[in-house]
């Protein structure tokens, strides 16, 4: 009887480990009203093709909240966009490097985010154009 009870127990390879609980997602915190106003201002500037001014507003937001995801990836995209307009490779490189820094910070915040991945890809692609 004891032998049959032991043979019915699962072997170590048959036991599935319990799946780990998913990591707690950060709770989305609403932006302060001043930051929201700046975000709308920056978006309006970018839509009216004033990219340098929009980048400056996103940089102001990042001084207040260094981990603001939207400001990070938008600043990365705008930096690369501004850099492509220069013919001087030194200026191009400076803007592409700045864009890459913003994109990397956004990617650290949300590695699964499509925007951050796009910003990194855009920065890397444009940096690659400077190499021979």
């Amino acid at each position: 009887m004891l032998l049959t009870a032991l043979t019915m127990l699962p072997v170590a390879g048959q036991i599935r480990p319990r799946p780990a609980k998913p990591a707690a997602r950060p709770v989305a915190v609403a932006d302060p009203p001043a930051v929201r106003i700046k975000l709308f201002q920056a978006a309006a500037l970018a839509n009216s093709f004033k990219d340098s001014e929009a980048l400056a507003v996103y940089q102001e937001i990042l001084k207040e909240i260094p981990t603001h995801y939207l400001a990070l990836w938008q600043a990365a995209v705008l930096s690369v966009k501004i850099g492509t307009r220069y013919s001087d490779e030194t200026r191009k490189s400076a803007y592409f490097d700045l864009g890459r820094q913003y994109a990397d910070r956004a990617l650290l915040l949300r590695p699964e985010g499509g925007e951050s991945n796009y910003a990194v890809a855009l920065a890397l692609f444009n940096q690659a154009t400077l190499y021979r």
Side-chain angles (χ1 to χ4, degrees):
M1 186 77 164
L2 181 63
L3 185 59
T4 57
L6 288 178
T7 57
M8 294 178 63
L9 292 176
V11 182
Q14 294 175 333
I15 299 174
R16 293 184 185 165
R18 288 187 180 183
K21 290 184 180 179
R25 302 195 103 211
V27 178
V29 178
D31 295 326
V35 172
R36 254 186 273 150
I37 291 170
K38 287 182 182 180
L39 286 171
F40 285 122
Q41 180 185 9
L45 287 168
N47 287 336
S48 60
F49 304 105
K50 297 180 180 177
D51 295 333
S52 297
E53 291 89 346
L55 179 60
V57 174
Y58 283 124
Q59 288 172 335
E60 287 176 20
I61 294 170
L62 291 171
K63 285 180 185 174
E64 291 178 31
I65 307 171
T67 58
H68 196 280
Y69 179 70
L70 176 68
L72 281 170
W73 76 264
Q74 286 284 359
V77 170
L78 284 174
S79 295
V80 171
K81 190 175 177 183
I82 293 168
T84 57
R85 295 185 188 137
Y86 287 103
S87 58
D88 179 24
E89 287 190 10
T90 307
R91 283 188 179 172
K92 275 187 176 193
S93 177
Y95 274 103
F96 293 163
D97 289 341
L98 183 64
R100 174 76 189 277
Q101 290 171 8
Y102 287 136
D104 285 341
R105 286 172 49 193
L107 191 65
L108 283 174
L109 286 175
R110 292 195 191 159
E112 76 285 349
E115 299 91 356
S116 58
N117 282 286
Y118 169 73
V120 170
L122 186 68
L124 283 172
F125 174 78
N126 283 287
Q127 277 182 327
T129 61
L130 297 177
Y131 300 121
R132 290 188 167 59

